[in-house]
Amino acid sequence: VVFKSLKYIYGQLVDDDQNKVLISASNVGKKLPKNVKDAKTKVEASKEVGKTLGSLAANKKIKEVIFDRNGYLYHGRVKAFADGAREGGLKF
């Protein structure tokens, strides 16, 4: 699931059967990866957050997911997030 506000983007891997969030990543918080902090635009930050989510999923051996764009059009920051997640190792 992806959610975006005017400044930030959030991504979560949710297990619908157990109603639990397995992994989450965003560009908000104190403990951000360096690549997310160094992003100059919101689109670049979205792609880096997607990569981070993909690598966190790979660490938990999650490979295939269903991408829920939460009603947003598939362009701009949402597309960059999805591309980053694919680069991070997720398949959808």
Side-chain angles (χ1 to χ4, degrees):
V1 178
V2 65
F3 173 77
K4 66 177 185 165
S5 68
L6 291 176
K7 288 175 93 173
Y8 304 112
I9 191 154
Y10 309 84
Q12 298 177 335
L13 293 183
V14 179
D15 183 354
D16 287 333
D17 295 332
Q18 298 178 1
N19 295 326
K20 288 186 178 181
V21 175
L22 304 174
I23 302 168
S24 66
S26 70
N27 59 345
V28 179
K30 295 179 181 177
K31 296 182 180 181
L32 294 176
K34 183 169 177 30
N35 56 358
V36 175
K37 286 182 186 178
D38 293 342
K40 295 185 181 186
T41 65
K42 292 187 274 187
V43 174
E44 288 176 11
S46 298
K47 187 168 187 171
E48 294 301 327
V49 170
K51 283 183 189 178
T52 302
L53 187 69
S55 65
L56 290 172
N59 291 342
K60 289 201 171 198
K61 298 181 181 169
I62 299 171
K63 296 178 184 176
E64 290 190 23
V65 297
I66 296 172
F67 186 68
D68 180 1
R69 56 187 170 85
N70 211 9
Y72 300 115
L73 295 176
Y74 188 77
H75 70 90
R77 293 192 289 157
V78 175
K79 183 180 184 302
F81 179 87
D83 292 341
R86 285 188 186 107
E87 286 181 25
L90 287 177
K91 293 180 184 177
F92 49 89

